[in-house]
Amino acid sequence: MAVQLADSHAHLDFHNFHKDLPEVLARARRAGVKLITNVGYDLKSSRRSLELAEEYPFIYAAVGIHPHEAAKVPRNYLEQLEEMAAHPKVVALGEMGLDFYRDRSPRDRQRVVFKEQLELAKKLKKPVIIHDRDAHLQVLTILLEEGAEEVGGVLHCFSGDEAMARQVIEMGFFISVAGPVTYPKNNKLNRIVAITPKDRILVETDCPFLTPVPFRGQRNEPSYVSKVAERVALLQGTTLEEAGRRCLENTCTLFQIDLEGL
Ligand code: NI
């Protein structure tokens, strides 16, 4: 069986890819990447994600406002997101959430923009892509208060503890892991992968960031998602082919993409 993979979270619109995107995508295809979700972090990046999805059949888009950008959104940002989300290749809203590590937007503003986007996701019946950095309890509380399980979604680049993993899985969410799962001494995350049901785990690159071993120090790109899937396979006691295929199926389930059509 050939390796089949999905990169459930990429930022190919970043300037890092301006010069060689066609080559990057060709390498991804050769590595077995059947599907890439390009995730917006502000309005401009969301529009660019949509353009990429229109240009390449295997790219899908998510539109949303990253917590870093929460303080900068124009008043009508929700209308703009809603208008973009009407496109059939927009499969989710995000990324959205809270980042209390860098605090690039005031926390109150982050909370408001996160909640407003969850409301929009419920209105549009789209799953959500959640960014959570050093705000585990607050993210969990808002997901519960806002009834986010109605639409479900994924906690991307999961960094919470085992209890949080169990709780979000219980709520119907997926757990996604990126390059950090390949780093030495990441026992906490390794354990979380091992306890996550096989039908609830996704792999991603979050490229150009979070490059997996053995490419650390270089720009990350979708073809390297194979290194993340390899690690997941090892932790689940299965093969790369099986883990890769399973994560691809899970990505299609979450984003309601027809796997047969890929
Ligand atoms: Ni991201």
Side-chain angles (χ1 to χ4, degrees):
M1 187 165 75
V3 176
Q4 296 181 307
L5 299 159
D7 184 354
S8 69
H9 190 119
H11 298 287
L12 296 170
D13 53 295
F14 274 47
H15 65 90
N16 314 57
F17 295 107
H18 280 179
K19 283 198 185 121
D20 64 343
L21 183 61
E23 288 88 340
V24 166
L25 293 175
R27 279 196 292 276
R29 300 298 275 169
R30 280 199 297 277
V33 176
K34 311 284 282 179
L35 155 65
I36 299 170
T37 314
N38 203 78
V39 183
Y41 66 91
D42 63 8
L43 289 172
K44 193 173 157 217
S45 149
S46 296
R47 284 207 190 277
R48 184 68 193 125
S49 298
L50 189 45
E51 283 167 17
L52 286 168
E54 283 182 325
E55 191 173 344
Y56 297 96
F58 55 93
I59 298 182
Y60 289 78
V63 296
I65 309 294
H66 190 287
H68 287 342
E69 304 297 320
K72 295 181 214 152
V73 285
R75 211 168 282 175
N76 71 346
Y77 82 96
L78 287 167
E79 285 115 81
Q80 292 199 48
L81 289 178
E82 183 170 354
E83 172 249 310
M84 285 186 250
H87 192 287
K89 288 199 82 181
V90 173
V91 293
L93 290 198
E95 55 191 293
M96 63 175 79
L98 302 175
D99 193 312
F100 291 177
Y101 178 70
R102 297 210 189 269
D103 281 319
R104 287 204 192 136
S105 290
R107 293 184 176 184
D108 282 351
R109 194 67 202 138
Q110 291 189 37
R111 283 193 193 88
V112 169
V113 170
F114 182 22
K115 287 182 186 177
E116 286 176 344
Q117 290 183 90
L118 286 173
E119 283 299 316
L120 180 62
K122 284 194 293 180
K123 178 180 166 191
L124 302 178
K125 300 184 171 37
K126 297 253 187 220
V128 289
I129 298 174
I130 306 295
H131 172 102
D132 160 28
R133 188 112 193 250
D134 285 2
H136 308 318
L137 190 60
Q138 294 89 340
V139 164
L140 200 49
T141 304
I142 289 177
L143 290 176
L144 287 165
E145 280 173 3
E146 297 296 318
E149 50 186 307
E150 199 180 305
V151 287
V154 55
L155 278 94
H156 115 83
C157 194
F158 187 80
S159 60
D161 63 9
E162 220 178 293
M164 181 180 187
R166 289 186 196 280
Q167 198 164 354
V168 295
I169 289 165
E170 182 76 20
M171 287 168 71
F173 277 77
F174 290 76
I175 301 269
S176 181
V177 290
V181 79
T182 68
Y183 300 168
K185 298 192 192 123
N186 207 337
N187 295 332
K188 189 175 115 186
L189 190 55
N190 287 353
R191 164 105 186 114
I192 285 166
V193 171
I195 61 146
T196 299
K198 286 182 183 168
D199 61 353
R200 288 304 186 78
I201 193 144
L202 307 184
V203 287
E204 64 172 287
T205 58
D206 201 20
C207 63
F209 314 109
L210 304 178
T211 311
V213 171
F215 304 114
R216 272 183 100 173
Q218 301 174 31
R219 175 190 68 179
N220 198 2
E221 62 172 61
S223 63
Y224 297 168
V225 80
S226 63
K227 295 296 162 196
V228 180
E230 246 172 51
R231 184 75 195 167
V232 167
L234 187 73
L235 294 165
Q236 291 183 335
T238 183
T239 61
L240 169 62
E241 286 79 3
E242 229 181 87
R245 169 77 190 187
R246 186 64 83 111
C247 291
L248 170 64
E249 287 170 4
N250 294 344
T251 306
C252 287
T253 302
L254 171 63
F255 295 136
Q256 296 190 11
I257 294 167
D258 178 18
L259 181 54
E260 303 310 314
L262 289 175

